[in-house]
Amino acid sequence: MGFRNHVETMTVAGKVTDVDHDAKAFTLQCRSGDTVTINVGETTYYEVMSNVDGIPRDRTEEPAQFNGDAVKAGLERYLAKDTLVFVRGNNLEHGDKQRFDARTVYLLQSTVGGKYGFEETHWWIDQISRLADRWLDQLMSGDREYTSEDFARAYRTQLNALGQAGDDPVQECATLSRLIYGLSSAYLMTGTDRYFHAAKAAVDFQRQAFRTLSHDGRHCFWAFGRRGTSEGERLLVASEFGDDYGAIPLYEQIYALAGLAQFYRISADWAALDDIRRTVRTFFDFFRDDPEAKERGLPGLGGYFSHLDPVTRRPDVAALGDNRSKKNWNSVGDHIPAYLVNLILGLDPLPRRASRKELDAFQDEAIELLEETVTLIVEKFPDENSDYVNERFHADWTPDHTYKWQQNRAVVGHNLKIAWNLTRCSFYLDKRERDLLAHGHREAAERVKKLSGRCIELACQLGDRMAEIGAVDPIRGGIFDSVERQPTNGMPIEFSWGTTKDFWQQEQAILAYLILYGATREQRYLDLARECSAFWNLFFLDRDHQGIFFRTTEGGQPITQGMFGSKGGHSVSGYHAFELNYLAHLYSRAYVDTDGTGSFSLHFKLLATRGQESINVLPDFMPLNKVEIARVYVDGVDYTDSLKPDDPNNFQIPVDDLSASERDGSIDLTVEFAVH
């Protein structure tokens, strides 16, 4: 219908198809196929996308022609055909008339026709560094070395928009672990000792403050958190978060391992690995619904229950209420990105001279867990009657469409998270197939090959459908939040609440489309990755406070009321943004390299407490023959000739003959990778 005198501030994104200097306008074609005429004027401002540091990046040159006409000169200076741009302006409608007046034109390149900012070699390194610095500056008052006591004193889950401690002094274990993941990733990318020292101190604090071992020491549970009171600290065993209140949710136990696993990757810290092993045993013995669970009166139908009762440690008691005997995306799929990928990267191949027998069994368990969760996702989650996966299930795997707020609704980011992680796993399964064939296990190799194919098939299906139906906004870019799985409004998409966009879901989309492009080389995935990366870097970066906005409107304007203005909370910590920085950097260098600079370096610091004489340095699950070790440096000295493996698909570096630092007994290792 046509409105009378309707005006709104609107954002549109697309590629420039025509520039008309005389009309002082240009034409933009959105991914939806819609064409918009963008009018510019004296109050139109051109802004080149800056990083989270806010440093101006405009390197365009003023054109000489147009006799001082600034409006025409702006068009000539900043716009060229086929350039991807975002525009925020005034959309006016009056009956059948429509006009769009640009007020800000956002450019993604410092020079017309140059590289996208987020594909430059240093973009994501700069972003993670500034984010990590600000987190530590605000929590630790600018210190450069840390102890567990510093985190015991200063760490808080609840932070306001400025990063200052909120009213609730709670220290949640899972959010601390997520910050450890972020700090460890920052060290991997930069080699900055400040991040390593902070991560190590936080790991020590996590183990001291939240770890609870079983009577026989075989199992590890992680408390929800601690809260300071006038009588001292109080340990909070059960969750205090809304949906999970009073229970032990598996996803919180899973994310308690996120930081430990990433820290183990860079340090070979044996104590961290030991806690991971005991926690995984807890997953198997308390949350897993395998055939052996029948002995405990459970159905034994596969998968992992989402919640345990903290008193009985069972998933099927009435006290759990809506969470009784349930399985969901978080209890199955979150194993993969939170810790399992990094754990397998650290253990396959087995580290040299480790406690071989016990570690060999744990490696087998980790690989089994990966194949198990991947199989469950491809078999149980797709729904032939919906564009979206099912996310919640009863114990017998029938979909649960009555759960609290979720009902029969989809979270768009979960669908893209599945696409991203299934593609990652397909790379590992391809390697697994090769290894099984090399050892004569043809039947197992064929099974793994089929599973890998199913991973890519479902990943592409989900990635394509999210874009086709508009869950990935085809007009403005960015990823919508919650939608109805079965629209009843006669439209391709029905929003459950608002048309908002959350930061963590943007991460899933960027990584999904980058890795799908790496796996398939299909241009549509690269276009989607660039569009999503642009939306993130334009609208989710809080340049004033060097942080990340939790939520924006559909047009990218930040929402800062209530919890959405907080820098830290149960649903936001130093995790998703840091994970995006780390993996977008890797994927951009490995899959998008546009100028022949597809190399990158990672940094490791092996602790004196390590129980192994080698370290695996493969950056992520990647296609065979995609990257190889090019150079190896120890304390800045080139050790390539003695440490680089002969096999380009071997990423294990021996360290038993290397001299440790006299300061702390650690070994600083820098590995440069070449991309093919």
Side-chain angles (χ1 to χ4, degrees):
M1 63 180 177
F3 288 97
R4 293 183 181 180
N5 299 320
H6 174 71
V7 297
E8 63 176 331
T9 298
M10 186 174 179
T11 302
V12 293
K15 291 190 175 181
V16 176
T17 58
D18 182 63
V19 180
D20 190 334
H21 298 92
D22 293 331
K24 298 183 178 179
F26 64 96
T27 304
L28 200 68
Q29 185 172 44
C30 303
R31 183 167 44 81
S32 63
D34 295 296
T35 299
V36 184
T37 298
I38 308 291
N39 299 282
V40 299
E42 294 181 357
T43 57
T44 299
Y45 177 69
Y46 295 88
E47 180 178 321
V48 174
M49 177 183 67
S50 63
N51 210 327
V52 72
D53 52 23
I55 296 175
R57 306 184 80 255
D58 188 345
R59 299 298 181 267
T60 60
E61 296 184 3
E62 190 77 37
Q65 64 267 45
F66 299 114
N67 299 319
D69 189 325
V71 177
K72 291 183 179 180
L75 286 169
E76 177 68 17
R77 178 177 179 177
Y78 291 104
L79 296 174
K81 193 173 181 179
D82 295 328
T83 301
L84 175 63
V85 300
F86 285 62
V87 184
R88 181 173 289 158
N90 302 325
N91 185 50
L92 301 92
E93 296 182 21
H94 183 75
D96 59 355
K97 295 181 180 179
Q98 184 269 340
R99 179 182 174 91
F100 192 102
D101 292 326
R103 289 299 169 259
T104 305
V105 180
Y106 297 99
L107 294 310
L108 310 178
Q109 301 137 306
S110 295
T111 58
V112 176
K115 294 183 67 172
Y116 293 107
F118 43 77
E119 290 176 5
E120 294 175 351
T121 57
H122 53 285
W123 182 271
W124 298 106
I125 294 176
D126 288 348
Q127 191 167 127
I128 201 171
S129 298
R130 300 295 76 76
L131 292 174
D133 284 340
R134 185 55 61 93
W135 268 91
L136 292 175
D137 287 346
Q138 291 167 329
L139 283 175
M140 305 294 177
S141 303
D143 294 343
R144 290 299 186 271
E145 293 190 5
Y146 312 92
T147 67
S148 61
E149 291 301 315
D150 294 318
F151 276 85
R153 167 184 52 82
Y155 181 73
R156 295 292 182 272
T157 292
Q158 302 295 335
L159 303 174
N160 64 21
L162 300 179
Q164 301 165 336
D167 294 334
D168 188 348
V170 69
Q171 299 172 318
E172 293 184 23
C173 177
T175 58
L176 173 69
S177 176
R178 288 176 165 191
L179 178 59
I180 295 168
Y181 175 98
L183 294 169
S184 299
S185 300
Y187 180 79
L188 265 172
M189 292 175 68
T190 68
T192 301
D193 280 343
R194 183 190 194 193
Y195 309 147
F196 182 88
H197 293 320
K200 183 179 184 303
V203 167
D204 292 342
F205 173 57
Q206 178 182 333
R207 301 182 72 238
Q208 294 167 11
F210 305 105
R211 187 185 66 170
T212 300
L213 300 181
S214 61
H215 66 286
D216 55 5
R218 287 176 46 80
H219 301 94
C220 175
F221 280 90
W222 299 93
F224 168 79
R226 303 182 78 91
R227 178 178 288 113
T229 70
S230 60
E231 299 177 351
E233 285 190 342
R234 182 172 184 176
L235 185 68
L236 310 172
V237 175
S239 178
E240 290 191 345
F241 184 66
D243 287 347
D244 316 302
Y245 192 88
I248 300 177
L250 178 52
Y251 81 93
E252 287 183 2
Q253 300 295 306
I254 285 173
Y255 278 104
L257 299 187
L260 296 180
Q262 189 74 320
F263 185 72
Y264 169 69
R265 282 288 323 278
I266 62 176
S267 67
D269 181 21
W270 212 243
L273 180 62
D274 195 39
D275 280 340
I276 294 170
R277 183 167 51 203
R278 286 188 281 200
T279 308
V280 171
R281 189 176 292 126
T282 297
F283 300 161
F284 289 162
D285 293 348
F286 289 87
F287 289 93
R288 197 182 206 178
D289 188 30
D290 59 5
E292 294 181 4
K294 291 182 178 180
E295 298 176 5
R296 296 186 287 127
L298 299 175
L301 297 175
Y304 294 79
F305 290 106
S306 62
H307 294 77
L308 292 184
D309 169 41
V311 176
T312 63
R313 303 291 170 97
R314 290 186 62 89
D316 57 350
V317 298
L320 289 171
D322 291 326
N323 293 315
R324 182 183 187 182
S325 299
K326 297 293 180 66
K327 300 165 184 175
N328 60 28
W329 154 252
N330 299 103
S331 69
V332 176
D334 268 351
H335 292 273
I336 298 170
Y339 72 90
L340 194 50
V341 169
N342 282 321
L343 178 60
I344 292 176
L345 286 169
L347 294 181
D348 187 10
L350 278 173
R352 292 171 47 172
R353 296 189 182 177
S355 177
R356 298 284 301 191
K357 183 177 180 181
E358 190 170 358
L359 205 59
D360 184 66
F362 189 41
Q363 182 201 58
D364 289 343
E365 289 176 343
I367 295 171
E368 175 191 348
L369 178 55
L370 183 79
E371 293 185 18
E372 175 191 13
T373 51
V374 167
T375 301
L376 287 169
I377 292 169
V378 298
E379 289 183 351
K380 306 296 186 183
F381 285 68
D383 185 346
E384 62 182 14
N385 298 314
S386 174
D387 292 312
Y388 310 93
V389 297
N390 284 301
E391 298 184 25
R392 295 185 183 273
F393 304 88
H394 298 286
D396 62 359
W397 287 106
T398 56
D400 179 7
H401 292 159
T402 63
Y403 183 84
K404 295 185 178 181
W405 62 270
Q406 181 135 26
Q407 301 294 302
N408 193 16
R409 298 179 180 123
V411 178
V412 176
H414 284 163
N415 289 264
L416 290 165
K417 192 172 187 177
I418 289 173
W420 160 43
N421 282 288
L422 288 185
T423 307
R424 293 172 96 184
C425 291
S426 74
F427 296 156
Y428 179 75
L429 292 172
D430 291 342
K431 171 190 175 297
R432 181 81 174 141
E433 178 197 357
R434 183 199 64 176
D435 293 345
L436 289 168
L437 285 173
H439 290 86
H441 303 303
R442 294 190 173 276
E443 185 175 338
E446 184 62 27
R447 173 182 53 79
V448 168
K449 180 180 180 180
K450 289 181 179 179
L451 183 57
S452 175
R454 296 176 72 183
C455 286
I456 286 293
E457 180 182 2
L458 181 55
C460 290
Q461 176 187 324
L462 291 173
D464 287 337
R465 290 305 291 154
M466 294 306 103
E468 291 164 359
I469 61 180
V472 183
D473 191 337
I475 302 295
R476 290 155 292 239
I479 315 306
F480 290 118
D481 178 15
S482 181
V483 298
E484 300 297 323
R485 295 183 66 258
Q486 302 286 350
T488 59
N489 60 356
M491 298 289 186
I493 191 169
E494 181 178 356
F495 296 100
S496 306
W497 292 282
T499 55
T500 55
K501 298 168 181 175
D502 285 2
F503 82 111
W504 69 270
Q505 300 193 55
Q506 315 310 306
E507 178 218 2
Q508 313 305 313
I510 295 168
L511 297 181
Y513 289 122
L514 279 174
I515 201 169
L516 281 171
Y517 176 67
T520 68
R521 311 309 292 177
E522 294 287 345
Q523 183 65 34
R524 68 184 184 277
Y525 295 133
L526 181 57
D527 291 342
L528 284 161
R530 286 171 166 167
E531 181 186 299
C532 295
S533 296
F535 195 92
W536 167 271
N537 286 288
L538 285 173
F539 304 129
F540 275 93
L541 304 185
D542 181 358
R543 295 167 178 84
D544 291 333
H545 305 121
Q546 295 191 346
I548 303 297
F549 294 117
F550 186 99
R551 175 170 289 176
T552 73
T553 65
E554 69 282 346
Q557 294 168 312
I559 296 172
T560 57
Q561 296 94 339
M563 64 164 285
F564 303 116
S566 301
K567 184 172 183 178
H570 178 84
S571 300
V572 54
S573 183
Y575 179 69
H576 284 293
F578 290 78
E579 182 179 55
L580 170 62
N581 296 160
Y582 174 59
L583 292 174
H585 176 66
L586 294 184
Y587 296 172
S588 295
R589 304 271 46 85
Y591 307 135
V592 185
D593 175 30
T594 56
D595 60 1
T597 59
S599 63
F600 56 91
S601 295
L602 296 179
H603 305 269
F604 303 82
K605 185 188 288 284
L606 284 78
L607 293 174
T609 55
R610 64 187 180 275
Q612 58 194 65
E613 300 299 340
S614 66
I615 189 167
N616 299 335
V617 298
L618 179 65
D620 193 55
F621 290 166
M622 287 184 163
L624 291 169
N625 303 310
K626 185 61 183 176
V627 299
E628 70 169 303
I629 295 172
R631 314 294 301 178
V632 182
Y633 300 89
V634 179
D635 289 329
V637 179
D638 192 336
Y639 273 68
T640 303
D641 290 343
S642 58
L643 296 183
K644 179 185 175 182
D646 294 329
D647 180 357
N649 284 308
N650 180 2
F651 295 91
Q652 187 173 85
I653 294 178
V655 296
D656 48 322
D657 294 330
L658 298 179
S659 299
S661 166
E662 294 182 0
R663 301 188 314 275
D664 54 15
S666 65
I667 297 173
D668 284 359
L669 194 71
T670 299
V671 183
E672 180 183 331
F673 297 87
V675 176
H676 302 301

